[in-house]
Amino acid sequence: MWVWDTRAKSVTGNDLKEELAFYAEKKAEFLKTYEGKYALIKGRALFGVFDSPSAAYEEGVKRVGNVPMLIVRVQKEEPRVWIPALQLGLIRAHLQG
């Protein structure tokens, strides 16, 4: 799942709560037509489907400006991300809750 934001302030899950809920609700429907593509979601609206995350981001900036938006690859299973240094305690992540 891609979250693009070039502002200095970081984006938290709460900033995209509405977008994430919308994607979860529509995922089965999106899989039928858009599997493997990148969906651009802002609020409860699908702004488009693209071949690359950068194309989705460019369109998002044109339409709504440089604000938090959800760019997600439509796929059956989310990829598992493993960061060894984080898992082994070599670095620590400060999670906002």
Side-chain angles (χ1 to χ4, degrees), residues 31-69:
L31 279 168
K32 293 176 187 173
T33 310
Y34 308 125
E35 189 169 5
K37 303 285 186 176
Y38 293 87
L40 170 60
I41 299 170
K42 181 63 181 157
R44 295 191 56 80
L46 176 65
F47 277 18
V49 180
F50 304 86
D51 291 325
S52 70
S54 58
Y57 177 72
E58 288 175 19
E59 180 63 21
V61 170
K62 285 180 196 172
R63 292 185 67 175
V64 296
N66 190 24
V67 298
M69 62 188 82

Side-chain angles (χ1 to χ4, degrees), residues 3 18 28 45 50 53 59-60 62 64 67-68 70 77 90 94:
V3 178
E18 187 176 22
F50 304 86
E59 180 63 21
K62 285 180 196 172
V64 296
V67 298
L70 179 65
E77 293 183 28
L90 301 175
H94 176 68

Side-chain angles (χ1 to χ4, degrees), residues 2-94:
W2 296 76
V3 178
W4 291 71
D5 182 29
T6 57
R7 300 172 306 160
K9 178 187 165 221
S10 64
V11 175
T12 67
N14 287 334
D15 293 329
L16 296 169
K17 192 180 232 180
E18 187 176 22
E19 288 84 355
L20 290 166
F22 177 76
Y23 177 68
E25 291 168 17
K26 299 289 187 178
K27 184 175 179 177
E29 181 182 326
F30 291 169
L31 279 168
K32 293 176 187 173
T33 310
Y34 308 125
E35 189 169 5
K37 303 285 186 176
Y38 293 87
L40 170 60
I41 299 170
K42 181 63 181 157
R44 295 191 56 80
L46 176 65
F47 277 18
V49 180
F50 304 86
D51 291 325
S52 70
S54 58
Y57 177 72
E58 288 175 19
E59 180 63 21
V61 170
K62 285 180 196 172
R63 292 185 67 175
V64 296
N66 190 24
V67 298
M69 62 188 82
L70 179 65
I71 297 170
V72 59
R73 186 167 190 193
V74 179
Q75 53 194 356
K76 290 178 185 166
E77 293 183 28
E78 296 301 323
R80 186 175 180 155
V81 177
W82 187 66
I83 304 169
L86 186 60
Q87 295 294 113
L88 297 172
L90 301 175
I91 60 173
R92 300 208 190 303
H94 176 68

